[in-house]
């Protein structure tokens, strides 16, 4: 079992930035970030496999960056140029295995979620 602990959410003005952190208690090959809007299914924001290949949802391309610190067993999501439509609960996730599926149901380990609110 791997435990994930998130931090870094908050409230920002449109155009602002946040950095979300996720620290894991063990190693997993695939790291990801998802977000959830009220009443909607959890959706992928970004994934990062063990080869360092990142995939982003169209909504975040050019604005969001996923990264990893292997020594710290942590992965991060840098959120730049945030807009009100990015307001959601963000979850880090991880799974063992070489692939990083886009569907949230394939992930075994989850952070507790952190709220990101963007408004003026």
């Amino acid at each position: 079992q791997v435990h994930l602990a998130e931090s870094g959410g908050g409230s920002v003005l449109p155009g602002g930035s946040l950095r979300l952190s996720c620290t894991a208690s063990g190693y997993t090959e695939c790291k990801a970030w998802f977000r959830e809007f009220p009443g909607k299914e959890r959706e992928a924001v970004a994934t990062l496999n063990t080869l360092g290949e990142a995939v982003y949802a169209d909504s975040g391309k050019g604005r969001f960056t996923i990264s990893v610190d292997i020594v710290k067993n942590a992965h991060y999501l840098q959120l730049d140029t945030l807009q009100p439509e990015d307001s959601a609960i963000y979850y880090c996730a991880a799974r063992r295995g070489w692939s990083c599926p886009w569907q949230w149901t394939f992930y075994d380990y989850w952070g507790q979620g952190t709220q990101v609110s963007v408004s003026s």
Side-chain angles (χ1 to χ4, degrees):
Q1 187 74 7
V2 176
H3 296 282
L4 304 181
E6 288 186 54
S7 62
S11 298
V12 295
L13 296 173
S17 297
L18 286 171
R19 186 184 191 224
L20 308 183
S21 300
C22 181
T23 302
S25 63
Y27 178 74
T28 55
E29 288 84 2
C30 172
K31 283 83 168 161
W33 288 92
F34 289 78
R35 65 185 182 183
E36 192 171 296
F37 300 102
K40 295 194 175 181
E41 189 175 9
R42 198 166 293 187
E43 65 179 38
V45 175
T47 64
L48 183 67
N49 66 18
T50 190
L51 297 177
E53 298 167 332
V55 179
Y56 296 94
D58 287 344
S59 57
K61 284 181 181 176
R63 301 189 299 129
F64 299 169
T65 305
I66 187 171
S67 61
V68 64
D69 185 327
I70 296 175
V71 173
K72 294 183 179 180
N73 246 351
H75 63 285
Y76 308 94
L77 185 67
Q78 178 68 38
L79 304 168
D80 294 321
T81 321
L82 283 163
Q83 300 301 319
E85 53 266 32
D86 295 317
S87 298
I89 299 175
Y90 285 70
Y91 295 90
C92 64
R95 70 187 297 270
R96 294 199 167 103
W98 300 106
S99 66
C100 287
W102 210 239
Q103 179 65 25
W104 68 271
T105 54
F106 288 95
Y107 286 79
D108 303 306
Y109 310 113
W110 291 90
Q112 75 275 18
T114 187
Q115 179 71 50
V116 170
S117 298
V118 186
S119 67
S120 54

